[in-house]
Structure formats: C-alpha cells, structure tokens
Amino acid sequence: MPKIKTNSGAKKRFALTGSGKIKRKHAFKSHILTKKTKKQKRNLTHFTVLAKTDVKAVKELLAMR
C-alpha cells in the first residue's frame, strides 16, 4: 500500500501539543486591523486548541491515523 501524503495546507496551519491535542491560530488577524481594538487584536494573537468536532477531519489531513 502506498504511503499517505500529508496535506500541505494543513501542516502549515496546525501543530501538535505535547499532550497530543491539535492547536490552531485564530482567524481575523491578517488584514483590516485598523477597525479592530487593541484588545481584540491582542487576544487573536494567541493559539487555541482545535474543537473536538474538527479533530477527526484534521487528523486525516495530517495523515495521523
């Protein structure tokens, strides 16, 4: 059976934590920043853990079966 390729877009967007959870960046931080408050931009800077409903789909993209 051939090897399963990792999705190139997914490997750039997601990372694994030490405990095996998948972390992601927040959206809405790339452009049109002038109308967003400092607090909003600061809070979007941090990483967050992926929602449970999306874990299965992302693991398939990352070829983690």
Side-chain angles (χ1 to χ4, degrees):
M1 228 171 132
K3 290 183 180 181
I4 300 162
K5 287 189 176 180
T6 300
N7 182 286
S8 297
K11 69 183 173 188
K12 295 169 193 169
R13 285 172 173 81
F14 302 105
L16 280 175
T17 63
S19 59
K21 294 176 185 172
I22 300 172
K23 62 181 184 176
R24 65 167 179 88
K25 278 190 168 183
H26 281 101
F28 306 108
K29 184 73 197 306
S30 59
H31 61 104
I32 314 176
L33 299 172
T34 52
K35 59 178 78 169
K36 293 169 188 153
T37 63
K38 287 180 187 176
K39 182 178 180 181
Q40 190 178 5
K41 290 183 277 193
R42 183 172 64 245
N43 289 336
L44 290 172
T45 299
H46 308 293
F47 279 87
T48 187
V49 177
L50 197 67
K52 288 180 183 177
T53 52
D54 299 322
V55 169
K56 185 181 175 186
V58 172
K59 280 191 174 183
E60 283 185 14
L61 292 173
L62 296 173
M64 299 170 52
R65 293 202 167 109

